Amino acid sequence: MGETVLSLTGVNGWYGESHVLHGVDLDVRRGEVVSLIGRNGAGRTTILRAIMGLLDRREGRLEIRGHNMSTTPAYRIAKAGLGYCPEERGIFASLSCEENLLLPPVTRTDGGMAMSLDEIYAMFPNLKERAHSPGTRLSGGEQQMLAIARILRTGADILLLDEISEGLAPVIVQTLSRVIQDLKARGFTIVMVEQNFRFAAPLADRFFIIEHGRVVEEIAQADLAARADDIRTYLGV
Amino acid sequence: MTEIFGVPAPVLYGQLLLGLVNGSFYALLSLGLSLIFGLLNIVNFAHGTMYMLGAFLAYLLLEPLGLGYWWAILLVPLLAAGLGIVIERTILKRIYKLDHIYGLLVTFGLTMVIEGFVRVYFGVSGLRYAVPPSLQGMVDLGFMRLPIYRIWVIVAALGLCLVTWLVIERTRLGATLRAGTENPSLVQAFGVNVPLLVTLVFGWGVGLAAFAGVLAAPLMQLTPQIGHSIIITVFGVVVIGGMGSILGSIVTGLGLGLIEGLAKVYYPEASSTAIFVLMILVLLVRPHGLFGKQ
């Protein structure tokens, strides 16, 4: 595994007046897939939003590729090579599928990570067929693929994916699983928030367990079987 | 003489033309108002004032500076957009997170201040701005005579509306703008400088209003109040068309201008209230306006 490309140290976060992140420490290395797991409301989505600068207030240190980005405005975070796929997918209703796909500006051309439109359409053939449909006429699975696809052509090499398997049919979840493996093979660094542990389990190199707005434990892929009972307790299943 | 439903045809055509002219102003103003509301979430009460200011700036360019109509139509929208950008950067950006009512109040305050300055400088008696020589005269269509200037107003206003619409619906910038209207924080997370986009859109909207003001200058007595009378109607247009709908603003603006014109011919007493009666009816049937989304 490579050097640390994304790190949070003592990050606190607020939605309005309510304090939701309490000292998050987290590091992600180049080319790895990590998964944030935990109960609903534990703060997993909020951690991704904190990284993207989408909270009302954030304190603590955020470093991307060793650069301190703690006070960087939200619109500059993406330029550091981050691609964000929000939980609600964020497909724009007034834009066609292709307009949605082309919306995020290409922010880095030097990294060589940007996929061309042809490569993206090869990975998600459905999106090509639906290019001119309004974004919200797409099926749930197509919308999810669109939400992932559109951050692949910007040059971002760190992908933050929030609950991408949520509410989708098993066959589509399998497709997404292959997509994640493919992206990992291409060298993308991926941070996944997942409720569906069975989806995340074979994909992630490391798991961060989130409780009450902080990271309470880190488990490596190799220890997964041995720690299965603990994980079950943490997830409350 | 030919009559249509008991009204002499030339009178009817004349009023319809007037309706189209007014409708063009409504379209330009409500388009800007819609754009601004869509992206800034601010009900810009000062929009009529920017229209008024457009007319007075044209006058100001002519009177001491000697710059005529064509200079005015080029420079005034830019000057007004500049003023709009300053207002957005210094005042409006502080209130985006607050309730709509604050935006309405602060822009209402701006209206008072700007109107006050205009009143002090120009007085309230009303000024005249001449139709530029190149657009004077009439065209005889056989069944009616059309003043060239009014044709120009309709063509210029609708042309600019069309350009704005094309930019919004057919370009990358427009797609970013539409996305920003739906979910500004996500667009920001994609690396788009949304605060800059917001500033530019406000400048653009204000520029459209000032353009309308220059177009209207030769058609009326210029008093500081001209912004008031039109902004109320334009609010009606925006509500009927659907807040934030671009096409809705243009179509409704023109349509209501025509309806007003017809009302003036057939039932003059209702001409100034027709729009609001229609607004009530539309709100009863379609609370989000004719072109609005749920």
Side-chain angles (χ1 to χ4, degrees):
Chain A
M1 281 298 157
E3 75 281 14
T4 298
V5 287
L6 172 67
S7 99
L8 283 71
T9 315
V11 168
N12 283 271
W14 287 261
Y15 282 122
E17 292 293 304
S18 63
H19 189 177
V20 284
L21 295 183
H22 303 268
V24 174
D25 297 314
L26 187 74
D27 63 283
V28 184
R29 293 189 282 269
R30 181 183 302 280
E32 75 175 338
V33 176
V34 306
S35 179
L36 311 185
I37 57 179
R39 291 190 181 88
N40 273 332
R44 299 162 302 152
T45 291
T46 311
I47 292 175
L48 297 193
R49 294 178 57 86
I51 296 170
M52 296 311 299
L54 296 175
L55 299 189
D56 295 326
R57 185 175 148 211
R58 181 188 70 205
E59 285 176 5
R61 192 172 176 88
L62 167 67
E63 277 183 30
I64 300 171
R65 266 177 272 275
H67 298 290
N68 183 5
M69 312 281 282
S70 308
T71 56
T72 305
Y75 65 86
R76 293 233 185 92
I77 297 281
K79 294 198 168 75
L82 262 64
Y84 174 54
C85 173
E87 181 175 15
E88 70 285 359
R89 297 176 190 141
I91 301 302
F92 297 98
S94 56
L95 275 61
S96 70
C97 178
E98 189 155 290
E99 280 178 325
N100 266 286
L101 191 54
L102 298 178
L103 177 74
V106 173
T107 48
R108 281 162 49 97
T109 45
D110 56 322
M113 203 53 97
M115 289 169 64
S116 69
L117 203 54
D118 288 338
E119 284 178 288
I120 289 173
Y121 278 145
M123 190 179 255
F124 305 102
N126 284 19
L127 298 184
K128 187 162 191 177
E129 288 166 29
R130 307 299 302 270
H132 301 292
S133 308
T136 42
R137 291 278 166 77
L138 273 56
S139 72
E142 287 168 335
Q143 288 192 23
Q144 188 61 67
M145 293 187 191
L146 176 55
I148 299 172
R150 71 180 166 187
I151 53 176
L152 300 178
R153 43 165 286 290
T154 64
D157 56 355
I158 305 172
L159 309 180
L160 310 184
L161 309 179
D162 198 348
E163 297 279 15
I164 57 169
S165 72
E166 193 180 26
L168 298 178
V171 57
I172 297 173
V173 175
Q174 276 170 22
T175 309
L176 288 175
S177 177
R178 278 196 299 276
V179 166
I180 300 295
Q181 284 163 346
D182 188 356
L183 293 176
K184 188 184 178 190
R186 285 169 181 265
F188 284 96
T189 306
I190 298 174
V191 181
M192 291 194 298
V193 162
E194 265 307 325
Q195 185 66 31
N196 181 350
F197 183 66
R198 286 177 56 203
F199 174 73
L203 295 173
D205 301 303
R206 287 189 297 152
F207 299 83
F208 289 98
I209 295 167
I210 315 295
E211 270 197 348
H212 307 302
R214 64 168 69 85
V215 176
V216 294
E217 194 154 3
E218 178 192 328
I219 296 173
Q221 171 68 243
D223 304 327
L224 210 54
R227 303 290 305 274
D229 286 342
D230 294 342
I231 290 173
R232 221 168 280 135
T233 315
Y234 278 125
L235 298 183
V237 289
Chain B
M1 191 182 282
T2 329
E3 292 198 353
I4 297 171
F5 295 118
V7 173
V11 175
L12 180 64
Y13 295 149
Q15 284 300 336
L16 286 181
L17 178 68
L18 207 60
L20 267 183
V21 168
N22 283 333
S24 306
F25 293 137
Y26 298 158
L28 267 178
L29 286 170
S30 59
L31 177 59
L33 205 60
S34 258
L35 269 176
I36 290 171
F37 178 76
L39 198 63
L40 282 73
N41 240 343
I42 279 187
V43 179
N44 183 23
F45 200 90
H47 215 64
T49 308
M50 295 302 169
Y51 162 83
M52 180 272 287
L53 206 58
F56 274 92
L57 282 174
Y59 185 86
L60 208 57
L61 284 183
L62 184 67
E63 214 41 50
L65 297 177
L67 295 173
Y69 181 82
W70 298 107
W71 278 109
I73 211 153
L74 192 72
L75 292 179
V76 167
L78 295 176
L79 286 172
L83 176 68
I85 285 172
V86 171
I87 290 173
E88 195 278 333
R89 284 285 84 191
T90 52
I91 301 173
L92 299 184
K93 73 163 187 174
R94 296 168 202 283
I95 58 167
Y96 291 141
K97 288 188 175 165
L98 304 178
D99 191 85
H100 287 223
I101 194 72
Y102 291 90
L104 195 63
L105 283 173
V106 82
T107 52
F108 184 70
L110 276 171
T111 296
M112 296 308 213
V113 172
I114 295 172
E115 262 187 40
F117 276 120
V118 173
R119 192 173 300 126
V120 168
Y121 193 84
F122 294 97
V124 290
S125 55
L127 305 166
R128 300 290 306 173
Y129 188 93
V131 173
S134 48
L135 295 173
Q136 282 170 0
M138 298 275 199
V139 195
D140 200 337
L141 293 182
F143 61 95
M144 72 179 297
R145 284 159 59 78
L146 287 176
I148 292 174
Y149 189 75
R150 289 180 195 250
I151 301 174
W152 155 248
V153 166
I154 297 171
V155 170
L158 294 189
L160 193 56
C161 284
L162 184 70
V163 168
T164 303
W165 182 79
L166 282 175
V167 167
I168 291 168
E169 293 297 327
R170 294 281 181 271
T171 66
R172 287 288 297 278
L173 175 68
T176 308
L177 219 146
R178 275 177 281 143
T181 301
E182 278 186 53
N183 189 344
S185 57
L186 182 59
V187 173
Q188 182 136 297
F190 287 148
V192 175
N193 188 341
V194 173
L196 179 67
L197 196 65
V198 163
T199 305
L200 293 180
V201 163
F202 191 74
W204 188 357
V206 166
L208 289 177
F211 183 82
V214 180
L215 283 181
L219 294 175
M220 57 191 180
Q221 288 269 70
L222 304 185
T223 70
Q225 285 85 39
I226 55 174
H228 275 208
S229 36
I230 201 164
I231 192 66
I232 301 297
T233 310
V234 168
F235 275 143
V237 171
V238 172
V239 170
I240 294 172
M243 269 295 199
S245 163
I246 303 302
L247 192 63
S249 299
I250 300 173
V251 173
T252 313
L254 272 184
L256 288 189
L258 283 175
I259 288 174
E260 231 181 21
L262 283 177
K264 274 186 192 136
V265 178
Y266 288 105
Y267 194 60
E269 295 85 344
S271 62
S272 54
T273 44
I275 285 182
F276 301 101
V277 173
L278 202 64
M279 181 175 94
I280 293 170
L281 292 178
V282 168
L283 285 180
L284 283 175
V285 185
R286 288 184 64 106
H288 293 275
L290 292 178
F291 297 81
K293 296 195 178 71
Q294 291 296 309

